[in-house]
Amino acid sequence: MKKMVIWPVNLAAGRTKREGRIVARRYAIKSPKVEEISSVAQELHLEPEVEKEKAYPKSPWDRSGRVLVLKRGSKGEIVRAIANRLRAQREKAKSGGR
């Protein structure tokens, strides 16, 4: 099955669409990390592969890494699902895991 690339910038609340954010602002995450994206992708059975030393093409000085996941649907759907799950995890951790 084909793989697709998910960059942290695709989920970043601090970025504009022009800078690489894919999801709507209401779904965006503050400072997403490749480790978080990878763990959520694992939960979604997307078989993630982390490449930590990669840099997003529009910001080659920032080696934030990237995550390769199985292409099961459109990129927008997958990124939104990852963002929603990641947001839920952060809210759960913030509230003390209740």
Side-chain angles (χ1 to χ4, degrees):
M1 195 169 237
K2 285 188 170 191
K3 295 269 188 170
M4 85 170 68
V5 177
I6 307 292
W7 298 94
V9 70
N10 296 153
L11 305 165
R15 298 291 184 105
T16 64
K17 292 268 190 171
R18 181 173 273 174
E19 292 171 328
R21 181 174 46 83
I22 291 176
V23 296
R25 278 219 174 127
R26 67 177 174 261
Y27 300 119
I29 304 295
K30 186 176 180 180
S31 303
K33 306 284 183 239
V34 289
E35 295 81 12
E36 293 175 311
I37 295 169
S38 176
S39 70
V40 170
Q42 187 68 42
E43 290 175 16
L44 295 172
H45 307 290
L46 297 174
E47 300 176 22
E49 294 176 34
V50 175
E51 296 180 334
K52 289 188 177 198
E53 291 302 313
K54 299 293 182 176
Y56 187 64
K58 287 187 177 182
S59 54
W61 57 89
D62 180 19
R63 296 195 177 277
S64 59
R66 67 182 184 183
V67 181
L68 299 174
V69 298
L70 290 178
K71 183 167 175 64
R72 291 189 177 150
S74 74
K75 186 168 185 170
E77 290 170 347
I78 291 172
V79 172
R80 198 173 312 112
I82 290 171
N84 287 336
R85 182 79 59 106
L86 187 53
R87 170 167 283 181
Q89 278 184 356
R90 285 185 176 186
E91 287 175 5
K92 187 176 180 182
K94 189 187 239 185
S95 68
R98 294 182 209 165

